[in-house]
Coordinates of all heavy atoms in Angstrom, one line a residue:
I406 N 101.3 94.9 129.5 CA 102.5 94.5 130.1 C 103.1 95.8 130.7 O 102.7 96.9 130.5 CB 103.5 93.9 129.1 CG1 104.0 95.0 128.1 CG2 103.0 92.7 128.4 CD1 105.2 94.6 127.3
R407 N 104.2 95.5 131.6 CA 105.0 96.6 132.1 C 106.3 96.5 131.4 O 106.9 95.4 131.1 CB 105.2 96.5 133.6 CG 103.9 96.6 134.4 CD 104.1 96.4 135.9 NE 102.9 96.4 136.6 CZ 102.2 95.3 136.9 NH1 102.6 94.1 136.4 NH2 101.0 95.4 137.6
R408 N 106.9 97.6 131.1 CA 108.2 97.7 130.3 C 109.3 96.9 131.0 O 110.1 96.2 130.3 CB 108.6 99.1 130.1 CG 109.8 99.3 129.1 CD 109.3 98.9 127.7 NE 110.4 98.9 126.7 CZ 111.2 97.9 126.5 NH1 111.2 96.8 127.2 NH2 112.2 98.0 125.6
E409 N 109.3 96.9 132.3 CA 110.4 96.3 133.0 C 110.3 94.7 133.0 O 111.2 94.0 133.4 CB 110.5 96.7 134.5 CG 109.2 96.5 135.3 CD 108.2 97.7 135.2 OE1 108.3 98.5 134.3 OE2 107.4 97.8 136.2
D410 N 109.1 94.2 132.5 CA 108.9 92.8 132.5 C 109.4 92.2 131.1 O 109.3 90.9 131.0 CB 107.5 92.4 132.7 CG 107.1 92.6 134.2 OD1 108.0 92.4 135.1 OD2 105.9 93.0 134.5
V411 N 109.8 93.0 130.2 CA 110.2 92.5 128.9 C 111.6 91.8 129.0 O 112.6 92.4 129.5 CB 110.3 93.6 127.8 CG1 110.9 93.1 126.5 CG2 108.9 94.2 127.6
L412 N 111.7 90.6 128.6 CA 113.0 89.8 128.7 C 113.7 89.7 127.4 O 114.9 89.7 127.3 CB 112.7 88.4 129.2 CG 112.0 88.3 130.6 CD1 111.6 86.9 130.9 CD2 113.0 88.8 131.7
D413 N 113.0 89.5 126.3 CA 113.7 89.3 125.0 C 112.6 89.5 123.9 O 111.4 89.5 124.1 CB 114.2 87.8 124.9 CG 115.3 87.7 123.9 OD1 115.6 88.7 123.2 OD2 115.9 86.6 123.8
G414 N 113.1 89.6 122.6 CA 112.2 89.7 121.5 C 112.9 89.4 120.2 O 114.1 89.4 120.1
V415 N 112.1 89.1 119.2 CA 112.5 88.8 117.9 C 111.5 89.3 116.9 O 110.3 89.4 117.2 CB 112.8 87.3 117.7 CG1 111.5 86.5 117.8 CG2 113.5 87.0 116.4
C416 N 111.9 89.7 115.7 CA 111.0 90.2 114.7 C 111.1 89.4 113.4 O 112.2 89.1 112.9 CB 111.3 91.7 114.4 SG 110.3 92.4 113.1
L417 N 110.0 89.0 112.8 CA 110.0 88.3 111.5 C 109.1 89.0 110.5 O 108.1 89.6 110.8 CB 109.3 86.9 111.8 CG 110.0 85.9 112.7 CD1 109.2 84.6 112.8 CD2 111.4 85.6 112.2
R418 N 109.6 89.0 109.3 CA 108.9 89.6 108.2 C 108.4 88.5 107.2 O 109.2 87.7 106.8 CB 109.8 90.6 107.4 CG 110.2 91.8 108.3 CD 111.3 92.6 107.6 NE 111.6 93.8 108.4 CZ 112.4 93.9 109.4 NH1 113.0 92.8 109.9 NH2 112.7 95.1 110.0
V419 N 107.1 88.6 106.8 CA 106.6 87.6 105.9 C 106.0 88.3 104.7 O 104.9 88.9 104.7 CB 105.5 86.8 106.6 CG1 104.9 85.7 105.6 CG2 106.0 86.2 107.9
P420 N 106.7 88.3 103.5 CA 106.1 88.9 102.3 C 105.0 88.1 101.7 O 104.9 86.9 101.9 CB 107.3 89.0 101.4 CG 108.2 87.8 101.8 CD 108.0 87.7 103.3
K421 N 104.0 88.8 101.0 CA 102.9 88.1 100.4 C 102.2 87.1 101.3 O 101.8 86.0 100.9 CB 103.4 87.4 99.1 CG 103.8 88.4 98.0 CD 104.1 87.7 96.7 CE 104.3 88.6 95.5 NZ 105.4 89.6 95.7
A422 N 102.0 87.6 102.5 CA 101.3 86.7 103.5 C 99.8 86.5 103.2 O 99.3 85.4 103.3 CB 101.4 87.3 104.9
Y423 N 99.2 87.5 102.7 CA 97.7 87.5 102.5 C 97.4 88.0 101.1 O 97.6 89.2 100.8 CB 97.0 88.3 103.5 CG 97.3 87.9 104.9 CD1 97.9 88.9 105.8 CD2 97.0 86.7 105.4 CE1 98.2 88.5 107.1 CE2 97.4 86.3 106.7 CZ 98.0 87.2 107.6 OH 98.3 86.9 108.8
P424 N 96.8 87.1 100.2 CA 96.3 87.6 98.9 C 95.1 88.6 99.1 O 94.3 88.3 99.9 CB 95.9 86.4 98.2 CG 95.7 85.3 99.2 CD 96.6 85.7 100.3
A425 N 95.2 89.7 98.5 CA 94.1 90.8 98.7 C 93.1 90.8 97.6 O 93.4 90.4 96.4 CB 94.8 92.1 98.9
Y426 N 92.0 91.4 97.9 CA 90.8 91.4 97.0 C 90.4 92.8 96.6 O 89.3 93.3 96.8 CB 89.6 90.8 97.7 CG 89.7 89.3 97.9 CD1 90.8 88.7 98.6 CD2 88.8 88.4 97.4 CE1 90.9 87.4 98.8 CE2 88.8 87.0 97.6 CZ 89.9 86.5 98.3 OH 90.0 85.2 98.5
F427 N 91.4 93.5 96.0 CA 91.1 94.8 95.4 C 92.1 95.1 94.2 O 92.9 94.2 93.9 CB 91.2 95.9 96.5 CG 92.4 95.8 97.4 CD1 93.6 96.3 97.0 CD2 92.2 95.3 98.7 CE1 94.7 96.2 97.9 CE2 93.3 95.2 99.6 CZ 94.6 95.7 99.2
D428 N 92.0 96.3 93.7 CA 92.8 96.7 92.5 C 92.6 95.7 91.4 O 91.5 95.4 90.9 CB 94.2 96.9 92.9 CG 94.4 98.0 93.9 OD1 93.5 98.9 94.0 OD2 95.5 98.1 94.5
S429 N 93.7 95.1 90.9 CA 93.6 94.2 89.7 C 92.8 92.9 89.9 O 92.6 92.2 89.0 CB 94.9 94.0 89.1 OG 95.7 93.1 89.9
Y430 N 92.5 92.7 91.2 CA 91.7 91.4 91.5 C 90.4 91.4 90.7 O 89.9 90.4 90.5 CB 91.5 91.3 93.0 CG 90.6 90.1 93.3 CD1 91.2 88.8 93.4 CD2 89.2 90.2 93.6 CE1 90.4 87.7 93.7 CE2 88.5 89.2 93.9 CZ 89.0 87.9 93.9 OH 88.2 86.8 94.2
R431 N 89.9 92.6 90.4 CA 88.6 92.7 89.7 C 88.7 92.0 88.3 O 87.7 91.6 87.8 CB 88.2 94.1 89.5 CG 89.1 95.0 88.6 CD 88.7 96.4 88.5 NE 89.6 97.2 87.7 CZ 90.7 97.8 88.2 NH1 90.9 97.7 89.5 NH2 91.5 98.5 87.5
D432 N 89.9 91.8 87.8 CA 90.1 91.1 86.5 C 90.6 89.7 86.7 O 91.1 89.1 85.7 CB 91.0 91.9 85.6 CG 90.5 93.3 85.3 OD1 89.3 93.5 85.1 OD2 91.3 94.3 85.4
F433 N 90.5 89.2 87.9 CA 91.2 87.9 88.2 C 90.6 86.7 87.4 O 91.3 85.8 87.1 CB 91.1 87.6 89.7 CG 91.8 86.3 90.0 CD1 93.2 86.3 90.0 CD2 91.2 85.2 90.4 CE1 93.9 85.2 90.3 CE2 91.9 84.0 90.7 CZ 93.2 84.0 90.7
T434 N 89.3 86.8 87.0 CA 88.8 85.6 86.3 C 89.5 85.5 84.9 O 89.6 84.3 84.4 CB 87.3 85.8 86.0 OG1 87.0 87.1 85.4 CG2 86.5 85.8 87.3
Q435 N 90.0 86.6 84.3 CA 90.7 86.4 83.1 C 92.0 85.7 83.3 O 92.5 84.9 82.5 CB 91.0 87.8 82.5 CG 89.8 88.7 82.2 CD 90.2 90.1 81.7 OE1 91.1 90.2 80.9 NE2 89.5 91.1 82.2
V436 N 92.7 86.0 84.4 CA 93.9 85.3 84.8 C 93.7 83.8 85.0 O 94.4 82.9 84.5 CB 94.6 85.9 86.0 CG1 95.8 85.2 86.4 CG2 94.8 87.4 85.8
Q437 N 92.6 83.5 85.7 CA 92.2 82.1 86.0 C 91.9 81.4 84.7 O 92.4 80.2 84.6 CB 91.0 82.2 86.9 CG 90.5 80.8 87.3 CD 89.3 80.9 88.2 OE1 89.2 81.9 89.0 NE2 88.4 80.0 88.1
D438 N 91.2 82.0 83.8 CA 90.9 81.3 82.6 C 92.1 81.0 81.7 O 92.2 79.9 81.1 CB 89.9 82.2 81.7 CG 88.5 82.3 82.4 OD1 88.2 81.4 83.2 OD2 87.8 83.2 82.0
W439 N 93.1 82.0 81.7 CA 94.3 81.7 81.0 C 95.1 80.6 81.6 O 95.6 79.7 80.8 CB 95.1 83.0 81.0 CG 96.4 83.0 80.1 CD1 96.4 83.1 78.8 CD2 97.7 82.7 80.6 NE1 97.7 82.9 78.3 CE2 98.5 82.7 79.4 CE3 98.3 82.5 81.8 CZ2 99.9 82.5 79.5 CZ3 99.6 82.3 81.9 CH2 100.4 82.3 80.8
L440 N 95.2 80.5 82.9 CA 96.0 79.5 83.5 C 95.3 78.1 83.3 O 96.1 77.1 83.1 CB 96.1 79.8 85.0 CG 97.0 80.9 85.5 CD1 96.8 81.3 86.9 CD2 98.5 80.5 85.2

Side-chain angles (χ1 to χ4, degrees):
I406 66 167
R407 298 179 183 87
R408 188 67 183 87
E409 60 268 23
D410 287 328
V411 175
L412 299 172
D413 200 357
V415 65
C416 178
L417 297 180
R418 295 169 173 83
V419 183
K421 290 184 169 60
Y423 305 117
Y426 289 57
F427 42 80
D428 293 345
S429 72
Y430 176 79
R431 63 181 177 274
D432 299 318
F433 184 70
T434 54
Q435 299 177 45
V436 179
Q437 180 180 325
D438 291 343
W439 185 79
L440 287 168

